[in-house]
Amino acid sequence: MFRIGEFSKMTKTTIKTLRYYDEAQLLKPQEIDPFTGHRFYTTAQLLKLHRIQSLRQAGLSIEEIRQILNGKDAVPLLEKRREELMSELSETQHQLSRIQFILHGKEEEYFMNYTATLKDLPECIVYSKKMTVPSYDAYFEVLPALGQKMAGKYPDLQCAKPEYCFIIYLDGEYKEKDINVEYCEAVTEMKPDFDDIQFKKMASVPAVTVMHKGPYAGLSQAYAFAFQWIEENGMLVADSPRESYIDGIWNKESEEDWLTELQIPITRP
């Protein structure tokens, strides 16, 4: 089982939201330690939380979601909401597409399209920077600026081939703003540290990897699949997951073509 902070991080859901879902009788912890008050969740609750998040993103109320979880047919409620959204399509396109996705029954199908692969993440030299970014959209400004800073300081420094850059999330829970991260990019040689940028060697480590194609908003589905696969195959998470960005805004016009690899270091008990 996972403590609430771990569950928050892997599902990209704030602790505040998880506590709210508990109070609203949507998703209660599997266990609460009577002595410490610590809340614990299970892998099985990942899919239930994902369904709650999907219905919330579709614009349904807490009461409507509670009715659906208690067995009420979701289709009439979703069709009613779709009609409302059609009248304000320019402002609610995201919610409408989510409804269409659910009505066509593709939530589970999409989840099962993921494939887990075991591989050794390579030993590599990286330059890294720990920072706090105001939001996920800030990556599109912060990371190119960091690359320019490195090129100005070390114009002869070459990126490793194949290129390998990734982000490690340092917070104990999912956050939507003021996110603490460590950005790493593999390079061919060590250089002296400068400012708040460090060079270091990262050891090879076994990992479970999952490819996610599409907007970053869908990464929570990939995380849910990966953590469930790890547990079902008798493995343990050994370190913080990495998000390796293969294709993105820098080389793809549509976010549907963005390609991200989740890399979760593991051990076998």
Side-chain angles (χ1 to χ4, degrees), residues 129-131 133 139 167-170 179-183:
K129 176 181 172 65
K130 293 181 179 180
M131 53 188 163
V133 294
Y139 289 154
I167 281 178
I168 300 173
Y169 291 91
L170 304 177
I179 310 147
N180 294 301
V181 301
E182 180 179 9
Y183 174 77

Side-chain angles (χ1 to χ4, degrees), residues 17 129 132 176 191 199 202 214 226:
T17 297
K129 176 181 172 65
T132 300
E176 295 178 344
K191 294 283 191 181
F199 285 79
M202 301 191 72

Side-chain angles (χ1 to χ4, degrees), residues 137-225:
D137 289 340
Y139 289 154
F140 302 132
E141 297 179 4
V142 172
L143 300 187
L146 179 58
Q148 294 173 3
K149 182 176 181 179
M150 288 299 302
K153 178 68 174 181
Y154 296 122
D156 60 331
L157 184 64
Q158 299 294 315
C159 292
K161 298 297 182 182
E163 295 184 358
Y164 182 34
C165 64
F166 56 92
I167 281 178
I168 300 173
Y169 291 91
L170 304 177
D171 294 303
E173 62 171 297
Y174 172 67
K175 295 173 66 176
E176 295 178 344
K177 60 181 181 179
D178 297 330
I179 310 147
N180 294 301
V181 301
E182 180 179 9
Y183 174 77
C184 300
E185 182 154 1
V187 292
T188 56
E189 60 181 311
M190 298 285 286
K191 294 283 191 181
D193 299 343
F194 73 100
D195 293 343
D196 51 359
I197 296 174
Q198 295 182 326
F199 285 79
K200 61 183 178 180
K201 180 177 287 187
M202 301 191 72
S204 175
V205 61
V208 170
T209 65
V210 174
M211 289 291 189
H212 170 75
K213 189 170 185 179
Y216 298 144
L219 279 170
S220 61
Q221 299 166 359
Y223 272 105
F225 173 83

Side-chain angles (χ1 to χ4, degrees), residues 26-189:
L26 293 185
L27 184 70
K28 301 190 72 64
Q30 185 69 27
E31 291 184 14
I32 298 179
D33 189 304
F35 300 103
T36 65
H38 292 157
R39 301 166 184 235
F40 294 90
Y41 294 81
T42 65
T43 301
Q45 291 177 296
L46 290 167
L47 291 177
K48 185 174 182 180
L49 177 59
H50 174 61
R51 179 151 180 78
I52 292 170
Q53 290 171 326
S54 295
L55 294 171
R56 285 294 286 164
Q57 290 169 6
L60 297 190
S61 69
I62 292 295
E63 179 57 32
E64 289 170 331
I65 295 172
R66 186 184 296 113
Q67 293 174 15
I68 291 171
L69 295 180
N70 288 333
K72 184 173 182 177
D73 186 3
V75 173
L77 292 172
L78 290 169
E79 288 179 336
K80 176 177 178 291
R81 182 61 178 153
R82 179 174 60 182
E83 293 174 358
E84 294 172 350
L85 292 173
M86 288 294 291
S87 67
E88 48 186 280
L89 182 58
S90 62
E91 298 180 3
T92 58
Q93 185 62 49
H94 176 70
Q95 291 182 347
L96 181 61
S97 64
R98 176 60 70 174
I99 284 180
Q100 295 284 54
F101 197 62
I102 297 172
L103 285 176
H104 285 85
K106 293 184 178 179
E107 287 286 332
E108 291 79 7
E109 176 186 334
Y110 186 74
F111 184 82
M112 295 308 297
N113 282 338
Y114 287 116
T115 300
T117 302
L118 281 170
K119 69 179 184 181
D120 290 328
L121 301 182
E123 178 183 276
C124 57
I125 297 170
V126 302
Y127 72 81
S128 73
K129 176 181 172 65
K130 293 181 179 180
M131 53 188 163
T132 300
V133 294
S135 68
Y136 293 97
D137 289 340
Y139 289 154
F140 302 132
E141 297 179 4
V142 172
L143 300 187
L146 179 58
Q148 294 173 3
K149 182 176 181 179
M150 288 299 302
K153 178 68 174 181
Y154 296 122
D156 60 331
L157 184 64
Q158 299 294 315
C159 292
K161 298 297 182 182
E163 295 184 358
Y164 182 34
C165 64
F166 56 92
I167 281 178
I168 300 173
Y169 291 91
L170 304 177
D171 294 303
E173 62 171 297
Y174 172 67
K175 295 173 66 176
E176 295 178 344
K177 60 181 181 179
D178 297 330
I179 310 147
N180 294 301
V181 301
E182 180 179 9
Y183 174 77
C184 300
E185 182 154 1
V187 292
T188 56
E189 60 181 311

